[in-house]
C-alpha cells in the first residue's frame, strides 16, 4: 500500500509541476539526481549520508554535519533535501561534498540511489522515515541514526492502524530524541535504542550568534533606540503588531516577512502609510537611517543576526499552520512573542513556562504584553534573561550525540 501511494504521489507531483514553480524545481531536481550523482560520486571514497527534508531540518542538523566533518575528515559527505526550500537555499553549502534532491521513496529509486552512494553511515534529521530507503539500509547493515527527532501520541506509529508502518522505526540503529515523552512512546512499541539528547537546533542558534557580524545598516537604523523585531511574519501577524506602533512611535520597527514577494511587501507598506519606511535592499548612501522609523527586510539570510538589535521579538506563523524558529530570537536574550498555534513545539511550551516567551491570541493580548514590558523595565529584563538562559541550558545535544555514538562503537 505504501509503495502504491508513493507511485500515485509521484504522478501527482508531475502534474502539479505544470502549475507550481516550487513543485517544478523539486520534480526536475529529483529527475536529475541520479545522473548528477553518477557524475559526482567518487567510487573510491567513503560517504556519510545526511538527509534533511527542508531548510529548517538542515539548520537543525548542521551542527551534526560539521561535527562529523571535524571528527571524520577522511569521509565524504552527501547532503540530500526533499524540499526546494532547503535545496535552493543551501545547494552551495560548503560543509558537504555533494548536495542534491532525494528521489521519491519508491523501491526502484531507493535501490538505484543506494547503489550509487553506498554510504557507510546515514543520519536522518527530525521527521524523516522513508520506508524503502530505510529497509535497504538495514538490509545492508548500514548504521542509521535519527537526530533531534520528536514523537507524539497522535502519530501513525502509535495507532492501531499504524502497526505495520511502525516497523520502519526498527530500521534505525539509534534514536537521539528531544524529550522524555518521545523516549517513552518509542519504548511503548518496543523501540529501546533511544537516548534523550535534546534539540541540536539550540547548538546551531548559539553557533550563529557567535559567528554573527555587525550589520551596519541595521546598526545605524537602531541609533540606540528601542527596537521591535518581527521575524517570519505573515499577514495575520502584521495585522496585530503594526497598528500598535502607530501609537508608540518612540519604538523603531523591523519587519522581516516570511514571504518576500512584491504583493506582500506592498501590503505591508500600505499598512504603514504616513510613516517613514524603507526596504533594506533599497537603502542608498544618501539615506539618513536615523530618521527612518520602520525597516522592511526584503531579502533572506539576515534575520538570525537582526534579532540581536531588538529589545523585544515577535516570531510569526502562530496564526497560521505553526510558529517559526523561536530559539533563533531567544538566543539574543530578548523575550519572544508568538501566536496560539504552537502546541506541537516543545520550545514554545518551555519558553512560556520559564517566562522568556509569551503567547498571544489577539491584538488586545499583544497590546497588554507590550504595555507591560514598556511600563516595567524590570519585567522586560527578567523575561530577556529567561529567554537567554533557556537557550543556553538546552545546548550541548551535538556533543552528547557523538559521545554516545563513539561509546556504542567502542562496545561492539
Amino acid at each position: 500500500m505504501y509503495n502504491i501511494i508513493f507511485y500515485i504521489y509521484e504522478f501527482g507531483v508531475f502534474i502539479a509541476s505544470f502549475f507550481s514553480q516550487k513543485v517544478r524545481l523539486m520534480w526536475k531536481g529529483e529527475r536529475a539526481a541520479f545522473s548528477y550523482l553518477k557524475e559526482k560520486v567518487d567510487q573510491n571514497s567513503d560517504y556519510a549520508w545526511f538527509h534533511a527534508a527542508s531548510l529548517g531540518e538542515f539548520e537543525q542538523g548542521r551542527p551534526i554535519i560539521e561535527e562529523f566533518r571535524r571528527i571524520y575528515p577522511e569521509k565524504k559527505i552527501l547532503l540530500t533535501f526533499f524540499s526546494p526550500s532547503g535545496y535552493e537555499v543551501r545547494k552551495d553549502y560548503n560543509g558537504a561534498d555533494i548536495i542534491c534532491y532525494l528521489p521519491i521513496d519508491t523501491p526502484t529509486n531507493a535501490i538505484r540511489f543506494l547503489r550509487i552512494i553506498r554510504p557507510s553511515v546515514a543520519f536522518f534529521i527530525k521527521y524523516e522515515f522513508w520506508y524503502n530507503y530505510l529497509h535497504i539500509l538495514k538490509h545492508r547493515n548500514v548504521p542509521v541514526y535519527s537526530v533531534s527527532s520528536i514523537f507524539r501520541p497522535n502519530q501513525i506509529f502509535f495507532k492501531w492502524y499504524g502497526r505495520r508502518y511502525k516497523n520502519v522505526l526498527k530500521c534505525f540503529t539509534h534514536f537521539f530524541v528531544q524529550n522524555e515523552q518521545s523516549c517513552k512512546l518509542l519504548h511503548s512499541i518496543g523501540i529501546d535504542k533511544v537516548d534523550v539528547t535534546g534539540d541540536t537546533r539550540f547548538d546551531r542558534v548559539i553557533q550563529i550568534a557567535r559567528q554573527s557580524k555587525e550589520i551596519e545598516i541595521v546598526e545605524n537604523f537602531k541609533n540606540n533606540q528601542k527596537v521591535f523585531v518581527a521575524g517570519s511574519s505573515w499577514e495575520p501577524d502584521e495585522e496585530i503588531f503594526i497598528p500598535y506602533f502607530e501609537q508608540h512611535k518612540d519604538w523603531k520597527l523591523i519587519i522581516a516577512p516570511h514571504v518576500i514577494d512584491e504583493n506582500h511587501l506592498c501590503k505591508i507598506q500600505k499598512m504603514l502609510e504616513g510613516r517613514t519606511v524603507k526596504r533594506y535592499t533599497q537603502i542608498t548612501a544618501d539615506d539618513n537611517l536615523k530618521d527612518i522609523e520602520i525597516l522592511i527586510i526584503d531579502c533572506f539570510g539576515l534575520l538570525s543576526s537582526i534579532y540581536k538589535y531588538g529589545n523585544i521579538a515577535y516570531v510569526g506563523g502562530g496564526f497560521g499552520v505553526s510558529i517559526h524558529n523561536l530559539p533563533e530570537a531567544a538566543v539574543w536574550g530578548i523575550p519572544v512573542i508568538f501566536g496560539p498555534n504552537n502546541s506541537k513545539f516543545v520550545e514554545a511550551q518551555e519558553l512560556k513556562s520559564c517566562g522568556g516567551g509569551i503567547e498571544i491570541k489577539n491584538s488586545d493580548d499583544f497590546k497588554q504584553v507590550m504595555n507591560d514590558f514598556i511600563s516595567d523595565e524590570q519585567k522586560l529584563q527578567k523575561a530577556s534573561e529567561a529567554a537567554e538562559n533557556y537557550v543556553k541550558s538546552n545546548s550541548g545535544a551535538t556533543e552528547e550525540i557523538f559521545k554516545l555514538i563513539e561509546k556504542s562503537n567502542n562496545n561492539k
Side-chain angles (χ1 to χ4, degrees):
M1 179 60 72
Y2 176 91
N3 290 327
I4 292 173
I5 290 171
F6 262 84
Y7 280 120
I8 295 171
Y9 173 81
E10 189 172 28
F11 180 72
V13 169
F14 169 68
I15 297 300
S17 69
F18 289 98
F19 306 97
S20 168
Q21 172 67 15
K22 183 177 179 180
V23 176
R24 188 155 53 251
L25 286 170
M26 183 173 72
W27 174 259
K28 289 182 177 179
E30 289 174 357
R31 302 282 75 71
F34 290 116
S35 58
Y36 180 76
L37 288 170
K38 285 179 180 178
E39 176 188 343
K40 296 293 183 180
V41 169
D42 179 356
Q43 295 298 329
N44 296 315
S45 295
D46 182 1
Y47 283 88
W49 173 26
F50 291 83
H51 178 66
S54 189
L55 183 60
E57 286 78 14
F58 165 76
E59 292 297 335
Q60 199 161 26
R62 185 168 174 169
I64 297 291
I65 297 172
E66 293 176 1
E67 183 66 4
F68 187 92
R69 172 76 86 189
R70 187 188 70 81
I71 297 173
Y72 306 102
E74 73 282 2
K75 292 181 181 285
K76 290 197 172 184
I77 291 175
L78 164 70
L79 171 63
T80 59
F81 289 98
F82 187 73
S83 168
S85 64
Y87 176 78
E88 298 301 330
V89 176
R90 290 289 179 253
K91 59 187 176 183
D92 296 321
Y93 170 59
N94 60 13
D97 297 286
I98 300 175
I99 303 173
C100 68
Y101 282 95
L102 180 67
I104 288 174
D105 185 31
T106 63
T108 302
N109 283 348
I111 290 168
R112 286 182 67 193
F113 180 87
L114 292 170
R115 276 180 179 168
I116 297 171
I117 301 301
R118 296 180 294 109
S120 60
V121 63
F123 291 83
F124 285 67
I125 312 301
K126 198 174 182 178
Y127 295 131
E128 290 297 275
F129 308 106
W130 298 119
Y131 187 92
N132 293 303
Y133 284 107
L134 288 166
H135 275 85
I136 295 171
L137 287 167
K138 180 178 173 62
H139 178 73
R140 296 185 178 187
N141 295 314
V142 176
V144 184
Y145 301 103
S146 177
V147 177
S148 288
S149 45
I150 189 165
F151 294 89
R152 301 181 186 87
N154 62 353
Q155 287 175 298
I156 189 172
F157 312 112
F158 313 108
K159 302 292 186 180
W160 64 267
Y161 51 81
R163 290 174 183 171
R164 291 190 65 184
Y165 189 59
K166 76 178 181 183
N167 288 330
V168 74
L169 300 181
K170 296 178 181 179
C171 296
F172 285 92
T173 305
H174 208 96
F175 286 88
F176 299 106
V177 298
Q178 292 188 31
N179 56 25
E180 287 290 346
Q181 182 192 42
S182 298
C183 185
K184 289 176 182 177
L185 285 169
L186 289 172
H187 283 167
S188 74
I189 58 172
I191 307 293
D192 57 3
K193 293 178 180 179
V194 187
D195 277 292
V196 180
T197 52
D199 189 346
T200 52
R201 187 168 32 162
F202 290 99
D203 297 333
R204 176 59 184 153
V205 296
I206 288 173
Q207 182 185 56
I208 290 172
R210 287 174 179 165
Q211 296 173 351
S212 175
K213 296 179 181 179
E214 296 297 324
I215 305 175
E216 187 177 356
I217 288 175
V218 182
E219 180 72 39
N220 292 335
F221 165 81
K222 180 179 174 67
N223 189 34
N224 295 318
Q225 290 182 250
K226 296 285 188 180
V227 174
F228 181 89
V229 179
S232 301
S233 64
W234 296 79
E235 197 168 336
D237 302 303
E238 291 144 10
E239 289 172 351
I240 283 178
F241 66 76
I242 285 177
Y244 181 84
F245 292 97
E246 292 177 4
Q247 307 300 321
H248 295 271
K249 296 183 179 180
D250 53 324
W251 278 67
K252 288 202 166 191
L253 176 59
I254 298 177
I255 305 173
H258 184 75
V259 176
I260 299 176
D261 62 33
E262 191 60 28
N263 183 50
H264 188 193
L265 294 172
C266 286
K267 281 184 178 180
I268 294 173
Q269 289 187 268
K270 189 172 182 179
M271 293 178 71
L272 295 165
E273 281 182 345
R275 307 293 301 277
T276 308
V277 183
K278 199 76 177 181
R279 295 189 193 182
Y280 182 88
T281 61
Q282 294 177 355
I283 289 173
T284 68
D286 296 329
D287 288 314
N288 186 346
L289 294 170
K290 296 177 182 179
D291 294 335
I292 295 172
E293 298 173 274
I294 297 156
L295 183 63
I296 299 174
I297 309 301
D298 57 346
C299 56
F300 293 110
L302 296 178
L303 180 57
S304 58
S305 294
I306 283 174
Y307 279 124
K308 72 178 174 181
Y309 297 100
N311 299 93
I312 301 173
Y314 181 99
V315 174
F319 288 92
V321 176
S322 61
I323 50 171
H324 296 289
N325 193 337
L326 297 178
E328 187 176 51
V331 70
W332 294 107
I334 54 176
V336 187
I337 303 171
F338 45 86
N341 292 346
N342 59 66
S343 60
K344 293 182 179 180
F345 295 84
V346 175
E347 64 271 26
Q349 311 315 311
E350 292 178 344
L351 272 168
K352 286 192 288 184
S353 179
C354 75
I358 305 93
E359 176 188 311
I360 61 164
K361 294 182 172 63
N362 49 50
S363 55
D364 288 337
D365 285 354
F366 179 78
K367 181 179 178 180
Q368 184 63 56
V369 170
M370 288 298 299
N371 285 346
D372 287 348
F373 280 145
I374 290 172
S375 64
D376 190 341
E377 189 67 33
Q378 264 193 326
K379 188 170 187 176
L380 176 58
Q381 182 63 28
K382 186 177 179 181
S384 299
E385 291 173 357
E388 184 176 15
N389 290 337
Y390 170 70
V391 175
K392 287 181 178 178
S393 66
N394 281 280
S395 64
T398 302
E399 182 180 359
E400 183 65 18
I401 287 168
F402 279 100
K403 280 183 181 178
L404 290 167
I405 290 176
E406 184 179 1
K407 181 180 178 180
S408 175
N409 291 337
N410 290 338
N411 289 337
K412 287 181 181 179

